[in-house]
Amino acid sequence: MSAPSLTLFHNPASPFVRKVRVLLSETGQQDRVTLQGCLPTPVNPDAQLVQDNPVGKIPALRLADGSVLHDSRVILDYFDHQHSGTPLIPREGAARWRRLTLASMADAVMDAAVLVRYETALRPVEKHWDQWLDEQRKKIRRTLAEWEANALGELAGHFDIAAISVACALGYLDFRHPDLQWRLDNPKLAQWYAEVSQRPSLQQTQPPAG
Ligand code: BEZ
């Protein structure tokens, strides 16, 4: 078999990369990509990645013709147009906007969680901005409370872009921010997550230990 012609710039710790890998697995496309590892941080961009994506963020996807897609939302949309099953991003109607909004909330949780990670893991402790960190954590807690109160039925209905994104956001909280103990205030969300975590796509893409 010839080598895949698509290159996914990736890091197994990134929840944004994980969304793409989960969708690839759910749609049977994981063999289409070669994974190219990189570890960009705000203070240390990856030189190779920057050549392909000036923004310097992962995931980025280099296509066979050399063009590059980013960010994760664009790449997810691309791959969702490349399989013959039921689309995981509804193509039209109210479902499209609702599912994309839930996915966008999950992206916002990931953004906040990654920023907190950078601030606490990379920045000297005497420079930590505690009020800003608190607000990021509050954003995460508010969003999880909203899912707990109003989105469980929708999430349980279909493992699509919304459910994939929420699962990857929760997985990242477990990975980098176990101190948040998000399950305490969100038992129904925790139950849903325990169930979907058994899916092979989530099992295969778990973040690395440590
Ligand atoms: C992390 O190590 O937490 C991380 C790595 C790459 C992208 C986002 C987060």
Side-chain angles (χ1 to χ4, degrees):
M1 199 171 80
S2 58
S5 56
L6 305 174
T7 302
L8 182 66
F9 293 92
H10 108 298
N11 183 286
S14 164
F16 298 98
V17 169
R18 191 178 187 196
K19 284 190 302 176
V20 172
R21 295 189 63 209
V22 170
L23 184 137
L24 285 172
S25 173
E26 291 286 339
T27 58
Q29 299 186 77
Q30 59 273 57
D31 292 341
R32 296 190 61 209
V33 300
T34 300
L35 298 177
Q36 173 147 341
C38 47
L39 182 52
T41 74
V43 289
N44 189 13
D46 183 289
Q48 165 81 59
L49 172 64
V50 166
Q51 285 181 15
D52 282 295
N53 175 7
V55 180
K57 291 172 100 172
I58 50 173
L61 181 73
R62 194 195 299 129
L63 305 183
D65 66 1
S67 59
V68 177
L69 304 183
H70 52 88
D71 57 6
S72 62
R73 297 177 202 216
V74 178
I75 298 170
L76 288 164
D77 201 10
Y78 174 81
F79 281 123
D80 199 39
H81 280 80
Q82 303 272 313
H83 67 96
S84 56
T86 304
L88 298 186
I89 305 173
R91 297 283 192 265
E92 58 194 12
R96 175 173 173 80
W97 311 120
R98 176 60 180 160
R99 303 311 280 194
L100 285 175
T101 298
L102 288 169
S104 175
M105 292 167 83
D107 283 357
V109 167
M110 293 181 210
D111 275 332
V114 170
L115 288 173
V116 170
R117 168 71 184 168
Y118 285 151
E119 178 81 359
T120 52
L122 298 180
R123 213 156 191 241
V125 72
E126 68 275 10
K127 292 187 175 163
H128 286 185
W129 186 3
D130 290 333
Q131 188 185 354
W132 182 87
L133 282 167
D134 281 349
E135 290 305 323
Q136 298 302 325
R137 293 185 183 113
K138 281 186 199 162
K139 189 189 306 187
I140 293 169
R141 289 191 195 287
R142 279 197 308 267
T143 307
L144 268 56
E146 168 64 18
W147 290 336
E148 175 79 6
N150 295 317
L152 258 301
E154 293 170 282
L155 291 175
H158 188 26
F159 198 69
D160 67 350
I161 186 67
I164 289 171
S165 302
V166 171
C168 291
L170 297 176
Y172 189 75
L173 295 182
D174 281 348
F175 174 50
R176 289 301 192 203
H177 304 293
D179 51 303
L180 286 181
Q181 297 191 306
W182 63 267
R183 287 174 179 78
L184 293 181
D185 292 330
N186 304 288
K188 288 183 285 179
L189 190 61
Q191 178 61 35
W192 171 80
Y193 181 61
E195 287 163 17
V196 295
S197 291
Q198 301 310 311
R199 295 180 80 90
S201 61
L202 285 172
Q203 291 282 318
Q204 293 155 6
T205 57
Q206 283 184 19

